[in-house]
mmCIF file of all heavy atoms in Angstrom:
data_model
loop_
_atom_site.group_PDB
_atom_site.id
_atom_site.type_symbol
_atom_site.label_atom_id
_atom_site.label_comp_id
_atom_site.label_asym_id
_atom_site.label_seq_id
_atom_site.Cartn_x
_atom_site.Cartn_y
_atom_site.Cartn_z
ATOM 1 N N ASP A 70 -15.770 43.370 -22.914
ATOM 2 C CA ASP A 70 -16.996 43.857 -22.284
ATOM 3 C C ASP A 70 -16.770 44.202 -20.813
ATOM 4 O O ASP A 70 -17.550 43.821 -19.937
ATOM 5 C CB ASP A 70 -18.119 42.814 -22.423
ATOM 6 C CG ASP A 70 -18.929 43.057 -23.702
ATOM 7 O OD1 ASP A 70 -18.708 44.091 -24.357
ATOM 8 O OD2 ASP A 70 -19.758 42.195 -24.043
ATOM 9 N N ARG A 72 -14.608 43.179 -18.634
ATOM 10 C CA ARG A 72 -14.105 42.198 -17.695
ATOM 11 C C ARG A 72 -12.859 41.534 -18.267
ATOM 12 O O ARG A 72 -12.807 41.239 -19.464
ATOM 13 C CB ARG A 72 -15.196 41.140 -17.469
ATOM 14 C CG ARG A 72 -14.809 40.115 -16.439
ATOM 15 C CD ARG A 72 -15.893 39.052 -16.311
ATOM 16 N NE ARG A 72 -15.402 38.004 -15.457
ATOM 17 C CZ ARG A 72 -16.017 37.545 -14.374
ATOM 18 N NH1 ARG A 72 -17.187 38.012 -14.059
ATOM 19 N NH2 ARG A 72 -15.481 36.601 -13.651
ATOM 20 N N GLN A 149 -3.696 23.419 -6.709
ATOM 21 C CA GLN A 149 -4.477 24.332 -7.552
ATOM 22 C C GLN A 149 -3.687 25.593 -7.907
ATOM 23 O O GLN A 149 -3.896 26.174 -8.964
ATOM 24 C CB GLN A 149 -5.807 24.688 -6.896
ATOM 25 C CG GLN A 149 -5.711 25.637 -5.720
ATOM 26 C CD GLN A 149 -7.101 25.992 -5.207
ATOM 27 O OE1 GLN A 149 -7.804 25.162 -4.638
ATOM 28 N NE2 GLN A 149 -7.511 27.218 -5.420
ATOM 29 N N TYR A 152 -1.563 25.703 -11.155
ATOM 30 C CA TYR A 152 -2.218 25.741 -12.463
ATOM 31 C C TYR A 152 -2.082 27.093 -13.161
ATOM 32 O O TYR A 152 -2.590 27.287 -14.255
ATOM 33 C CB TYR A 152 -3.718 25.420 -12.309
ATOM 34 C CG TYR A 152 -4.028 23.949 -12.206
ATOM 35 C CD1 TYR A 152 -3.189 23.082 -11.530
ATOM 36 C CD2 TYR A 152 -5.183 23.415 -12.781
ATOM 37 C CE1 TYR A 152 -3.477 21.729 -11.426
ATOM 38 C CE2 TYR A 152 -5.469 22.067 -12.685
ATOM 39 C CZ TYR A 152 -4.617 21.236 -12.012
ATOM 40 O OH TYR A 152 -4.910 19.905 -11.915
ATOM 41 N N SER A 162 -7.074 43.025 -12.623
ATOM 42 C CA SER A 162 -8.400 43.314 -12.066
ATOM 43 C C SER A 162 -8.341 43.713 -10.609
ATOM 44 O O SER A 162 -9.374 43.982 -10.001
ATOM 45 C CB SER A 162 -9.285 42.066 -12.155
ATOM 46 O OG SER A 162 -9.254 41.540 -13.434
ATOM 47 N N HIS A 210 -7.134 43.401 0.583
ATOM 48 C CA HIS A 210 -8.314 43.508 1.437
ATOM 49 C C HIS A 210 -9.442 42.651 0.892
ATOM 50 O O HIS A 210 -10.610 42.920 1.121
ATOM 51 C CB HIS A 210 -8.734 44.963 1.586
ATOM 52 C CG HIS A 210 -7.627 45.824 2.111
ATOM 53 N ND1 HIS A 210 -7.087 45.643 3.358
ATOM 54 C CD2 HIS A 210 -6.913 46.823 1.551
ATOM 55 C CE1 HIS A 210 -6.101 46.514 3.544
ATOM 56 N NE2 HIS A 210 -5.971 47.237 2.453
ATOM 57 N N ALA A 212 -10.868 41.811 -2.201
ATOM 58 C CA ALA A 212 -11.944 42.161 -3.134
ATOM 59 C C ALA A 212 -12.334 40.936 -3.952
ATOM 60 O O ALA A 212 -13.430 40.872 -4.507
ATOM 61 C CB ALA A 212 -11.495 43.288 -4.054
ATOM 62 N N GLY A 213 -11.428 39.967 -4.065
ATOM 63 C CA GLY A 213 -11.768 38.679 -4.678
ATOM 64 C C GLY A 213 -11.898 38.704 -6.197
ATOM 65 O O GLY A 213 -12.184 37.673 -6.804
ATOM 66 N N THR A 214 -11.691 39.863 -6.831
ATOM 67 C CA THR A 214 -11.879 39.916 -8.284
ATOM 68 C C THR A 214 -10.853 39.051 -9.007
ATOM 69 O O THR A 214 -11.137 38.484 -10.061
ATOM 70 C CB THR A 214 -11.787 41.369 -8.787
ATOM 71 O OG1 THR A 214 -12.533 42.184 -7.895
ATOM 72 C CG2 THR A 214 -12.372 41.500 -10.167
ATOM 73 N N PRO A 220 -8.851 32.325 -15.210
ATOM 74 C CA PRO A 220 -9.409 31.343 -16.140
ATOM 75 C C PRO A 220 -9.005 29.903 -15.830
ATOM 76 O O PRO A 220 -9.446 28.985 -16.507
ATOM 77 C CB PRO A 220 -8.819 31.775 -17.488
ATOM 78 C CG PRO A 220 -7.503 32.387 -17.135
ATOM 79 C CD PRO A 220 -7.683 33.021 -15.780
ATOM 80 N N ASP A 224 -7.684 30.457 -8.173
ATOM 81 C CA ASP A 224 -8.251 31.104 -6.989
ATOM 82 C C ASP A 224 -7.166 31.812 -6.178
ATOM 83 O O ASP A 224 -6.924 31.489 -5.007
ATOM 84 C CB ASP A 224 -8.978 30.065 -6.124
ATOM 85 C CG ASP A 224 -9.933 30.708 -5.122
ATOM 86 O OD1 ASP A 224 -9.911 31.943 -4.992
ATOM 87 O OD2 ASP A 224 -10.680 29.965 -4.463
ATOM 88 N N LYS A 233 -1.831 34.817 4.400
ATOM 89 C CA LYS A 233 -1.910 35.642 5.620
ATOM 90 C C LYS A 233 -1.929 34.732 6.851
ATOM 91 O O LYS A 233 -1.241 34.995 7.833
ATOM 92 C CB LYS A 233 -3.189 36.497 5.600
ATOM 93 C CG LYS A 233 -3.183 37.582 4.540
ATOM 94 C CD LYS A 233 -4.525 38.305 4.536
ATOM 95 C CE LYS A 233 -4.621 39.312 3.402
ATOM 96 N NZ LYS A 233 -5.984 39.841 3.240
ATOM 97 N N ARG A 234 -2.715 33.663 6.761
ATOM 98 C CA ARG A 234 -2.773 32.745 7.899
ATOM 99 C C ARG A 234 -1.389 32.147 8.157
ATOM 100 O O ARG A 234 -0.951 32.038 9.298
ATOM 101 C CB ARG A 234 -3.786 31.628 7.617
ATOM 102 C CG ARG A 234 -3.853 30.641 8.770
ATOM 103 C CD ARG A 234 -4.925 29.614 8.561
ATOM 104 N NE ARG A 234 -4.580 28.673 7.494
ATOM 105 C CZ ARG A 234 -5.348 27.664 7.131
ATOM 106 N NH1 ARG A 234 -6.515 27.479 7.723
ATOM 107 N NH2 ARG A 234 -4.979 26.849 6.175
ATOM 108 N N ARG B 9 -19.403 43.816 -13.721
ATOM 109 C CA ARG B 9 -19.420 42.416 -14.136
ATOM 110 C C ARG B 9 -18.473 41.529 -13.344
ATOM 111 O O ARG B 9 -17.848 40.638 -13.887
ATOM 112 C CB ARG B 9 -19.032 42.298 -15.617
ATOM 113 C CG ARG B 9 -20.057 42.906 -16.529
ATOM 114 C CD ARG B 9 -19.425 43.157 -17.858
ATOM 115 N NE ARG B 9 -19.912 44.411 -18.394
ATOM 116 C CZ ARG B 9 -20.794 44.486 -19.368
ATOM 117 N NH1 ARG B 9 -21.240 43.416 -19.915
ATOM 118 N NH2 ARG B 9 -21.204 45.642 -19.795
ATOM 119 N N ASN B 11 -17.652 40.298 -8.997
ATOM 120 C CA ASN B 11 -18.200 39.534 -7.880
ATOM 121 C C ASN B 11 -18.697 40.406 -6.746
ATOM 122 O O ASN B 11 -18.266 41.545 -6.592
ATOM 123 C CB ASN B 11 -17.084 38.621 -7.374
ATOM 124 C CG ASN B 11 -15.790 39.401 -7.174
ATOM 125 O OD1 ASN B 11 -15.448 40.274 -7.953
ATOM 126 N ND2 ASN B 11 -15.082 39.092 -6.115
ATOM 127 N N GLU B 13 -17.995 40.191 -3.672
ATOM 128 C CA GLU B 13 -16.920 40.542 -2.731
ATOM 129 C C GLU B 13 -16.307 41.892 -3.086
ATOM 130 O O GLU B 13 -15.872 42.632 -2.220
ATOM 131 C CB GLU B 13 -15.818 39.467 -2.727
ATOM 132 C CG GLU B 13 -16.208 38.138 -2.082
ATOM 133 C CD GLU B 13 -17.085 37.290 -2.981
ATOM 134 O OE1 GLU B 13 -17.234 37.623 -4.179
ATOM 135 O OE2 GLU B 13 -17.633 36.285 -2.488
ATOM 136 N N ARG B 14 -16.287 42.186 -4.394
ATOM 137 C CA ARG B 14 -15.727 43.457 -4.829
ATOM 138 C C ARG B 14 -16.588 44.617 -4.328
ATOM 139 O O ARG B 14 -16.084 45.655 -3.903
ATOM 140 C CB ARG B 14 -15.637 43.466 -6.356
ATOM 141 C CG ARG B 14 -15.085 44.735 -6.980
ATOM 142 C CD ARG B 14 -13.624 44.921 -6.608
ATOM 143 N NE ARG B 14 -13.032 46.020 -7.359
ATOM 144 C CZ ARG B 14 -12.273 45.862 -8.436
ATOM 145 N NH1 ARG B 14 -12.014 44.658 -8.901
ATOM 146 N NH2 ARG B 14 -11.770 46.896 -9.059
ATOM 147 N N ARG B 21 -14.512 50.134 2.374
ATOM 148 C CA ARG B 21 -13.636 51.302 2.353
ATOM 149 C C ARG B 21 -14.436 52.580 2.577
ATOM 150 O O ARG B 21 -14.062 53.434 3.370
ATOM 151 C CB ARG B 21 -12.923 51.399 1.001
ATOM 152 C CG ARG B 21 -12.262 50.113 0.591
ATOM 153 C CD ARG B 21 -10.874 50.326 0.094
ATOM 154 N NE ARG B 21 -9.943 49.871 1.107
ATOM 155 C CZ ARG B 21 -8.625 50.034 1.032
ATOM 156 N NH1 ARG B 21 -8.102 50.635 0.004
ATOM 157 N NH2 ARG B 21 -7.850 49.592 1.988
ATOM 158 N N SER B 91 -11.603 35.556 7.262
ATOM 159 C CA SER B 91 -11.011 35.100 5.996
ATOM 160 C C SER B 91 -9.489 35.081 6.101
ATOM 161 O O SER B 91 -8.828 34.218 5.533
ATOM 162 C CB SER B 91 -11.472 35.975 4.830
ATOM 163 O OG SER B 91 -10.787 37.207 4.837
ATOM 164 N N GLU B 92 -8.925 36.011 6.884
ATOM 165 C CA GLU B 92 -7.466 36.022 7.033
ATOM 166 C C GLU B 92 -6.985 34.840 7.862
ATOM 167 O O GLU B 92 -5.826 34.442 7.762
ATOM 168 C CB GLU B 92 -7.007 37.351 7.646
ATOM 169 C CG GLU B 92 -7.396 38.497 6.729
ATOM 170 C CD GLU B 92 -6.771 39.829 7.067
ATOM 171 O OE1 GLU B 92 -6.441 40.046 8.232
ATOM 172 O OE2 GLU B 92 -6.643 40.642 6.135
ATOM 173 N N TYR B 93 -7.876 34.290 8.686
ATOM 174 C CA TYR B 93 -7.518 33.062 9.393
ATOM 175 C C TYR B 93 -7.894 31.831 8.578
ATOM 176 O O TYR B 93 -7.732 30.708 9.036
ATOM 177 C CB TYR B 93 -8.176 33.023 10.777
ATOM 178 C CG TYR B 93 -7.451 33.901 11.771
ATOM 179 C CD1 TYR B 93 -7.891 35.191 12.033
ATOM 180 C CD2 TYR B 93 -6.304 33.448 12.405
ATOM 181 C CE1 TYR B 93 -7.208 36.020 12.909
ATOM 182 C CE2 TYR B 93 -5.616 34.264 13.288
ATOM 183 C CZ TYR B 93 -6.069 35.544 13.536
ATOM 184 O OH TYR B 93 -5.375 36.350 14.398
ATOM 185 N N PRO B 100 -8.315 23.997 -0.171
ATOM 186 C CA PRO B 100 -7.837 23.960 -1.559
ATOM 187 C C PRO B 100 -7.842 22.515 -2.087
ATOM 188 O O PRO B 100 -7.653 21.584 -1.303
ATOM 189 C CB PRO B 100 -6.393 24.466 -1.472
ATOM 190 C CG PRO B 100 -6.154 24.894 -0.083
ATOM 191 C CD PRO B 100 -7.278 24.442 0.770
ATOM 192 N N SER B 101 -8.076 22.377 -3.370
ATOM 193 C CA SER B 101 -8.036 21.037 -3.970
ATOM 194 C C SER B 101 -7.860 21.203 -5.470
ATOM 195 O O SER B 101 -7.961 22.314 -5.994
ATOM 196 C CB SER B 101 -9.335 20.285 -3.685
ATOM 197 O OG SER B 101 -10.410 20.991 -4.268
ATOM 198 N N ARG B 102 -7.612 20.096 -6.151
ATOM 199 C CA ARG B 102 -7.412 20.152 -7.602
ATOM 200 C C ARG B 102 -8.662 20.728 -8.265
ATOM 201 O O ARG B 102 -9.760 20.247 -8.042
ATOM 202 C CB ARG B 102 -7.174 18.726 -8.115
ATOM 203 C CG ARG B 102 -6.608 18.649 -9.499
ATOM 204 C CD ARG B 102 -6.381 17.201 -9.878
ATOM 205 N NE ARG B 102 -5.318 16.583 -9.083
ATOM 206 C CZ ARG B 102 -4.024 16.662 -9.376
ATOM 207 N NH1 ARG B 102 -3.634 17.319 -10.434
ATOM 208 N NH2 ARG B 102 -3.144 16.075 -8.608
ATOM 209 N N TYR B 107 -14.422 26.050 -13.556
ATOM 210 C CA TYR B 107 -13.851 26.413 -12.256
ATOM 211 C C TYR B 107 -14.759 27.366 -11.495
ATOM 212 O O TYR B 107 -15.252 28.332 -12.046
ATOM 213 C CB TYR B 107 -12.497 27.089 -12.478
ATOM 214 C CG TYR B 107 -11.580 26.296 -13.351
ATOM 215 C CD1 TYR B 107 -11.109 26.811 -14.550
ATOM 216 C CD2 TYR B 107 -11.185 25.009 -12.973
ATOM 217 C CE1 TYR B 107 -10.262 26.076 -15.358
ATOM 218 C CE2 TYR B 107 -10.339 24.270 -13.783
ATOM 219 C CZ TYR B 107 -9.887 24.806 -14.972
ATOM 220 O OH TYR B 107 -9.059 24.083 -15.772
ATOM 221 N N LYS B 110 -13.089 28.654 -4.789
ATOM 222 C CA LYS B 110 -13.556 28.260 -3.456
ATOM 223 C C LYS B 110 -13.649 29.444 -2.520
ATOM 224 O O LYS B 110 -14.422 29.443 -1.577
ATOM 225 C CB LYS B 110 -12.606 27.218 -2.855
ATOM 226 C CG LYS B 110 -12.660 25.909 -3.588
ATOM 227 C CD LYS B 110 -11.559 24.972 -3.121
ATOM 228 C CE LYS B 110 -11.314 23.921 -4.169
ATOM 229 N NZ LYS B 110 -10.569 24.465 -5.336
ATOM 230 N N SER B 111 -12.833 30.474 -2.776
ATOM 231 C CA SER B 111 -12.866 31.615 -1.855
ATOM 232 C C SER B 111 -14.115 32.471 -2.080
ATOM 233 O O SER B 111 -14.424 33.318 -1.260
ATOM 234 C CB SER B 111 -11.617 32.475 -2.035
ATOM 235 O OG SER B 111 -11.618 33.068 -3.308
#
Side-chain angles (χ1 to χ4, degrees):
Chain A
D70 269 352
R72 184 183 172 126
Q149 73 176 69
Y152 279 37
S162 310
H210 304 297
T214 316
D224 197 352
K233 292 176 186 170
R234 179 175 71 179
Chain B
R9 293 162 219 255
N11 49 321
E13 289 77 11
R14 179 66 171 260
R21 310 226 106 186
S91 76
E92 299 192 333
Y93 282 97
S101 62
R102 195 178 292 275
Y107 308 119
K110 292 171 201 75
S111 66

